[in-house]
Every structure is written in C-alpha cells, then in structure tokens.
Amino acid sequence: LLRLASFFRIGWLFKFAGLLGFAAVLSPAFFRVAWSYYTDDRITRDVRYGPNPRNRLDLFLPRGCAFFGQRVVDAEGAAVSKNSANQSRPVIVFVTGGMWIIGYKAWGALLAMTLMRRGFIVASLDYRNFPQGTVGDMAAD
C-alpha cells in the first residue's frame, strides 16, 4: 500500500503550477510579437527564393521601403530625409540555427522587428532541415 501511495506524490503539481505561472508571465510579450508579426504591413511573409518548399523568407522593411514584385524599393510618398534619399540601405540576413534538424524563419521575428525599427532591411530565411535535406542541401539553400 505504501508503494502505491508513493506513485501519487504531489510534487509534480507544484512544478506544473510553476510552469503555468511562468507561461502566464511571458504570454503578453509573446502575443505582442505574434500580433505584430501577422499584422504589420511592413513585414512581407513567405517570399519564395528557391525551388524547394522551404525556400521562403520573411522581409522586414523599415519605413520608406516597400516590396514591389521581386525588389525592395523606396515607397512613394514616404518621408525620406535628403541625406538618406537614393542611398543604399543596410541589409541583414538572419538564418536561424537549430542543429540542422529544427528551425523556422519566424523565430527571429523579435530581433528582425527591432532591427527594422532602427532602419535595417532584414531577410529572415527558412531552409531545408534534416531529413528533408542533407548538409549540402542546407548550404545550397
């Protein structure tokens, strides 16, 4: 009977409650990033850059830029200062890591949105992971 009682310990309940509390504290920040990722018109999602299904990227464009066809251009009517008009804009390419078996382009959304607000164009890439591709395929993507 004592052995059976040892299976019904309640210590796991306190750990589970702690996990729920931790998730509740973090969820407002998570929902804010997710909401911005899906509703901000300066973010262009799922731009195809190659022939494979996971060859897609998200573009995070600062104010004054627009994605038109296959190019990023200065948006018409955008307030661009005289010093920055007709100049190149810095581009950052974000490739998520995950030991070649996991990873998704949206994982870098918080970093990309922060850089976008500071005037950078950010391309967050997705690529084939194992087992869909080999290391050579990942490097080619």
Side-chain angles (χ1 to χ4, degrees):
L1 191 61
L2 288 175
R3 278 189 165 174
L4 184 61
S6 68
F7 287 115
F8 295 108
R9 293 183 183 162
I10 61 169
W12 68 271
L13 232 111
F14 291 109
K15 291 179 183 178
F16 185 68
L19 177 65
L20 289 177
F22 183 70
V25 167
L26 289 181
S27 64
F30 172 76
F31 289 128
R32 180 177 174 214
V33 171
W35 178 262
S36 296
Y37 178 74
Y38 286 107
T39 61
D40 194 331
D41 59 350
R42 294 176 296 159
I43 301 171
T44 305
R45 291 177 302 283
D46 291 329
V47 177
R48 183 176 284 282
Y49 71 88
N52 298 302
R54 296 230 15 211
N55 291 157
R56 297 183 185 272
L57 60 88
D58 292 341
L59 278 176
F60 297 80
L61 304 173
R63 294 199 192 290
C65 284
F67 183 68
F68 183 72
Q70 296 294 320
R71 296 178 37 176
V72 174
V73 297
D74 284 333
E76 289 186 33
V80 180
S81 68
K82 288 182 180 180
N83 296 338
S84 65
N86 298 325
Q87 289 185 357
S88 299
R89 295 179 187 263
V91 177
I92 296 174
V93 178
F94 178 79
V95 181
T96 185
M99 300 185 307
W100 297 328
I101 56 172
I102 60 173
Y104 185 62
K105 59 188 169 58
W107 290 0
L110 180 60
L111 173 65
M113 285 188 281
T114 302
L115 292 169
M116 172 185 72
R117 287 185 198 109
R118 296 186 185 262
F120 293 92
I121 296 172
V122 182
S124 183
L125 300 179
D126 205 2
Y127 57 92
R128 290 175 284 178
N129 294 327
F130 182 80
Q132 290 89 15
T134 64
V135 173
D137 294 334
M138 294 174 212
D141 286 353

